[in-house]
Amino acid sequence: MKTFESMFGFLFDASKLAYLDDDDLKSCCLNLETALRNGDGSDIDAKYLLMELQILQEMLPNEAYETDRPWTSIQIMEFAKKMDMFPSVMVAYRILLTIPVTVASAERSFSKLKLLKSYLRTTMTQDRLNGLAILTIERNMLVNVDYEKIIDDFASRNARRHHFR
């Protein structure tokens, strides 16, 4: 977590980004470029990222960082996307927002799978087990499902209708 914060910490919210001076911003951009380097290539060029972030600092509205609730990284990315002129910033925020910081969801999945797959369910096929695991893991989404509509739709599609002459 500390490694992740040391690479991307300056992008976490608008108050951190807005109050960085040019030297600190430059060192953060160089650090991020180094962290994302793979061989000779890097996903981000520190020079372009620095220029774009300097412009973004000026363009951010005051409400983004002067309130008691500064904009989050998602809100900053949406603002940059709306402006459609910050390609390096967009890449940096996409990487920031897609890197899993913890393995909690993977651990939760295995924990649920262990509960599901008991001795009595060892004869279950893999497809059915996967379906039940997804239903168990994503049970919060199931609250909004209209079962009657699904049953009616299934019945209408799979009904065998025989026409007698």
Side-chain angles (χ1 to χ4, degrees), residues 20-44:
L20 283 175
D21 64 355
D22 289 343
D23 293 332
D24 290 337
L25 192 60
K26 183 177 181 179
S27 67
C28 289
C29 291
L30 288 170
N31 184 28
L32 185 61
E33 179 186 25
T34 303
L36 298 177
R37 183 168 302 284
N38 185 10
D40 293 336
S42 180
D43 292 327
I44 291 181

mmCIF file of all heavy atoms in Angstrom, residues 20-44:
data_model
loop_
_atom_site.group_PDB
_atom_site.id
_atom_site.type_symbol
_atom_site.label_atom_id
_atom_site.label_comp_id
_atom_site.label_asym_id
_atom_site.label_seq_id
_atom_site.Cartn_x
_atom_site.Cartn_y
_atom_site.Cartn_z
ATOM 1 N N LEU A 20 0.726 21.175 -5.204
ATOM 2 C CA LEU A 20 2.114 20.783 -5.490
ATOM 3 C C LEU A 20 2.790 21.868 -6.306
ATOM 4 O O LEU A 20 2.234 22.362 -7.296
ATOM 5 C CB LEU A 20 2.151 19.471 -6.271
ATOM 6 C CG LEU A 20 1.918 18.179 -5.497
ATOM 7 C CD1 LEU A 20 1.866 17.003 -6.461
ATOM 8 C CD2 LEU A 20 3.009 17.956 -4.479
ATOM 9 N N ASP A 21 4.013 22.237 -5.912
ATOM 10 C CA ASP A 21 4.748 23.190 -6.747
ATOM 11 C C ASP A 21 5.418 22.432 -7.896
ATOM 12 O O ASP A 21 5.378 21.201 -7.958
ATOM 13 C CB ASP A 21 5.763 23.977 -5.912
ATOM 14 C CG ASP A 21 6.853 23.106 -5.309
ATOM 15 O OD1 ASP A 21 6.767 21.883 -5.452
ATOM 16 O OD2 ASP A 21 7.780 23.661 -4.692
ATOM 17 N N ASP A 22 6.014 23.165 -8.814
ATOM 18 C CA ASP A 22 6.552 22.564 -10.037
ATOM 19 C C ASP A 22 7.643 21.530 -9.764
ATOM 20 O O ASP A 22 7.699 20.501 -10.433
ATOM 21 C CB ASP A 22 7.086 23.646 -10.977
ATOM 22 C CG ASP A 22 5.962 24.464 -11.597
ATOM 23 O OD1 ASP A 22 4.802 23.995 -11.566
ATOM 24 O OD2 ASP A 22 6.241 25.568 -12.116
ATOM 25 N N ASP A 23 8.509 21.798 -8.802
ATOM 26 C CA ASP A 23 9.594 20.860 -8.507
ATOM 27 C C ASP A 23 9.063 19.544 -7.936
ATOM 28 O O ASP A 23 9.496 18.461 -8.340
ATOM 29 C CB ASP A 23 10.600 21.481 -7.525
ATOM 30 C CG ASP A 23 11.361 22.644 -8.142
ATOM 31 O OD1 ASP A 23 11.529 22.648 -9.384
ATOM 32 O OD2 ASP A 23 11.776 23.533 -7.380
ATOM 33 N N ASP A 24 8.126 19.643 -7.000
ATOM 34 C CA ASP A 24 7.547 18.433 -6.426
ATOM 35 C C ASP A 24 6.751 17.653 -7.469
ATOM 36 O O ASP A 24 6.805 16.423 -7.515
ATOM 37 C CB ASP A 24 6.632 18.779 -5.247
ATOM 38 C CG ASP A 24 7.401 19.286 -4.037
ATOM 39 O OD1 ASP A 24 8.606 18.969 -3.929
ATOM 40 O OD2 ASP A 24 6.796 19.993 -3.212
ATOM 41 N N LEU A 25 6.029 18.385 -8.308
ATOM 42 C CA LEU A 25 5.247 17.742 -9.357
ATOM 43 C C LEU A 25 6.159 17.027 -10.350
ATOM 44 O O LEU A 25 5.870 15.906 -10.774
ATOM 45 C CB LEU A 25 4.376 18.783 -10.072
ATOM 46 C CG LEU A 25 3.294 18.265 -10.992
ATOM 47 C CD1 LEU A 25 2.302 17.394 -10.237
ATOM 48 C CD2 LEU A 25 2.566 19.424 -11.652
ATOM 49 N N LYS A 26 7.277 17.650 -10.671
ATOM 50 C CA LYS A 26 8.236 17.042 -11.593
ATOM 51 C C LYS A 26 8.819 15.759 -11.003
ATOM 52 O O LYS A 26 8.915 14.734 -11.688
ATOM 53 C CB LYS A 26 9.359 18.024 -11.919
ATOM 54 C CG LYS A 26 10.353 17.496 -12.923
ATOM 55 C CD LYS A 26 11.396 18.536 -13.265
ATOM 56 C CE LYS A 26 12.364 17.996 -14.300
ATOM 57 N NZ LYS A 26 13.373 19.011 -14.666
ATOM 58 N N SER A 27 9.181 15.782 -9.735
ATOM 59 C CA SER A 27 9.748 14.580 -9.121
ATOM 60 C C SER A 27 8.694 13.471 -9.030
ATOM 61 O O SER A 27 9.015 12.294 -9.225
ATOM 62 C CB SER A 27 10.328 14.892 -7.744
ATOM 63 O OG SER A 27 9.301 15.229 -6.842
ATOM 64 N N CYS A 28 7.434 13.834 -8.780
ATOM 65 C CA CYS A 28 6.365 12.825 -8.743
ATOM 66 C C CYS A 28 6.164 12.204 -10.126
ATOM 67 O O CYS A 28 5.983 10.984 -10.242
ATOM 68 C CB CYS A 28 5.064 13.455 -8.262
ATOM 69 S SG CYS A 28 5.055 13.902 -6.519
ATOM 70 N N CYS A 29 6.199 13.022 -11.166
ATOM 71 C CA CYS A 29 6.026 12.509 -12.532
ATOM 72 C C CYS A 29 7.178 11.598 -12.931
ATOM 73 O O CYS A 29 6.972 10.547 -13.545
ATOM 74 C CB CYS A 29 5.903 13.665 -13.523
ATOM 75 S SG CYS A 29 4.385 14.607 -13.363
ATOM 76 N N LEU A 30 8.409 11.993 -12.583
ATOM 77 C CA LEU A 30 9.573 11.156 -12.883
ATOM 78 C C LEU A 30 9.502 9.837 -12.118
ATOM 79 O O LEU A 30 9.828 8.777 -12.664
ATOM 80 C CB LEU A 30 10.866 11.893 -12.550
ATOM 81 C CG LEU A 30 11.238 13.042 -13.488
ATOM 82 C CD1 LEU A 30 12.399 13.845 -12.912
ATOM 83 C CD2 LEU A 30 11.582 12.508 -14.872
ATOM 84 N N ASN A 31 9.074 9.883 -10.867
ATOM 85 C CA ASN A 31 8.924 8.679 -10.059
ATOM 86 C C ASN A 31 7.888 7.741 -10.679
ATOM 87 O O ASN A 31 8.092 6.533 -10.755
ATOM 88 C CB ASN A 31 8.525 9.066 -8.629
ATOM 89 C CG ASN A 31 8.442 7.873 -7.715
ATOM 90 O OD1 ASN A 31 9.123 6.876 -7.912
ATOM 91 N ND2 ASN A 31 7.609 7.990 -6.701
ATOM 92 N N LEU A 32 6.772 8.303 -11.144
ATOM 93 C CA LEU A 32 5.727 7.489 -11.769
ATOM 94 C C LEU A 32 6.209 6.875 -13.073
ATOM 95 O O LEU A 32 5.959 5.706 -13.347
ATOM 96 C CB LEU A 32 4.470 8.330 -12.003
ATOM 97 C CG LEU A 32 3.258 7.588 -12.538
ATOM 98 C CD1 LEU A 32 2.821 6.495 -11.566
ATOM 99 C CD2 LEU A 32 2.119 8.550 -12.792
ATOM 100 N N GLU A 33 6.931 7.663 -13.876
ATOM 101 C CA GLU A 33 7.472 7.132 -15.132
ATOM 102 C C GLU A 33 8.429 5.973 -14.863
ATOM 103 O O GLU A 33 8.369 4.939 -15.529
ATOM 104 C CB GLU A 33 8.195 8.226 -15.918
ATOM 105 C CG GLU A 33 8.790 7.710 -17.220
ATOM 106 C CD GLU A 33 9.637 8.743 -17.943
ATOM 107 O OE1 GLU A 33 10.159 9.667 -17.292
ATOM 108 O OE2 GLU A 33 9.788 8.602 -19.169
ATOM 109 N N THR A 34 9.276 6.115 -13.853
ATOM 110 C CA THR A 34 10.224 5.064 -13.502
ATOM 111 C C THR A 34 9.490 3.809 -13.017
ATOM 112 O O THR A 34 9.847 2.690 -13.380
ATOM 113 C CB THR A 34 11.183 5.559 -12.403
ATOM 114 O OG1 THR A 34 11.825 6.735 -12.873
ATOM 115 C CG2 THR A 34 12.216 4.508 -12.068
ATOM 116 N N ALA A 35 8.454 4.007 -12.230
ATOM 117 C CA ALA A 35 7.701 2.870 -11.695
ATOM 118 C C ALA A 35 6.969 2.106 -12.789
ATOM 119 O O ALA A 35 6.804 0.893 -12.703
ATOM 120 C CB ALA A 35 6.715 3.354 -10.641
ATOM 121 N N LEU A 36 6.534 2.815 -13.822
ATOM 122 C CA LEU A 36 5.775 2.183 -14.900
ATOM 123 C C LEU A 36 6.649 1.776 -16.086
ATOM 124 O O LEU A 36 6.130 1.419 -17.138
ATOM 125 C CB LEU A 36 4.653 3.115 -15.368
ATOM 126 C CG LEU A 36 3.600 3.457 -14.318
ATOM 127 C CD1 LEU A 36 2.596 4.444 -14.870
ATOM 128 C CD2 LEU A 36 2.905 2.204 -13.823
ATOM 129 N N ARG A 37 7.956 1.842 -15.909
ATOM 130 C CA ARG A 37 8.884 1.482 -16.983
ATOM 131 C C ARG A 37 8.978 -0.035 -17.094
ATOM 132 O O ARG A 37 9.050 -0.748 -16.107
ATOM 133 C CB ARG A 37 10.263 2.066 -16.712
ATOM 134 C CG ARG A 37 11.271 1.793 -17.832
ATOM 135 C CD ARG A 37 12.522 2.595 -17.688
ATOM 136 N NE ARG A 37 12.314 4.029 -17.650
ATOM 137 C CZ ARG A 37 12.037 4.785 -18.714
ATOM 138 N NH1 ARG A 37 11.938 4.223 -19.891
ATOM 139 N NH2 ARG A 37 11.872 6.078 -18.603
ATOM 140 N N ASN A 38 8.989 -0.498 -18.332
ATOM 141 C CA ASN A 38 9.158 -1.919 -18.614
ATOM 142 C C ASN A 38 10.179 -2.027 -19.740
ATOM 143 O O ASN A 38 9.846 -1.804 -20.900
ATOM 144 C CB ASN A 38 7.827 -2.556 -19.017
ATOM 145 C CG ASN A 38 7.945 -4.046 -19.210
ATOM 146 O OD1 ASN A 38 8.960 -4.643 -18.864
ATOM 147 N ND2 ASN A 38 6.923 -4.645 -19.774
ATOM 148 N N GLY A 39 11.398 -2.329 -19.385
ATOM 149 C CA GLY A 39 12.464 -2.379 -20.378
ATOM 150 C C GLY A 39 12.768 -0.975 -20.870
ATOM 151 O O GLY A 39 13.053 -0.072 -20.098
ATOM 152 N N ASP A 40 12.708 -0.782 -22.200
ATOM 153 C CA ASP A 40 12.976 0.535 -22.770
ATOM 154 C C ASP A 40 11.732 1.415 -22.817
ATOM 155 O O ASP A 40 11.826 2.622 -22.989
ATOM 156 C CB ASP A 40 13.529 0.395 -24.200
ATOM 157 C CG ASP A 40 14.910 -0.238 -24.211
ATOM 158 O OD1 ASP A 40 15.595 -0.147 -23.169
ATOM 159 O OD2 ASP A 40 15.293 -0.809 -25.245
ATOM 160 N N GLY A 41 10.564 0.832 -22.695
ATOM 161 C CA GLY A 41 9.335 1.601 -22.827
ATOM 162 C C GLY A 41 8.688 1.902 -21.484
ATOM 163 O O GLY A 41 8.928 1.237 -20.485
ATOM 164 N N SER A 42 7.865 2.935 -21.504
ATOM 165 C CA SER A 42 7.101 3.309 -20.324
ATOM 166 C C SER A 42 5.716 3.738 -20.773
ATOM 167 O O SER A 42 5.547 4.278 -21.869
ATOM 168 C CB SER A 42 7.780 4.450 -19.579
ATOM 169 O OG SER A 42 7.036 4.801 -18.439
ATOM 170 N N ASP A 43 4.732 3.475 -19.927
ATOM 171 C CA ASP A 43 3.363 3.867 -20.262
ATOM 172 C C ASP A 43 3.182 5.376 -20.232
ATOM 173 O O ASP A 43 2.285 5.905 -20.880
ATOM 174 C CB ASP A 43 2.380 3.229 -19.275
ATOM 175 C CG ASP A 43 2.307 1.725 -19.438
ATOM 176 O OD1 ASP A 43 2.461 1.253 -20.584
ATOM 177 O OD2 ASP A 43 2.113 1.028 -18.439
ATOM 178 N N ILE A 44 4.027 6.051 -19.479
ATOM 179 C CA ILE A 44 3.873 7.494 -19.280
ATOM 180 C C ILE A 44 5.204 8.187 -19.530
ATOM 181 O O ILE A 44 6.254 7.727 -19.088
ATOM 182 C CB ILE A 44 3.399 7.777 -17.852
ATOM 183 C CG1 ILE A 44 1.971 7.279 -17.694
ATOM 184 C CG2 ILE A 44 3.489 9.243 -17.511
ATOM 185 C CD1 ILE A 44 1.380 7.503 -16.352
#
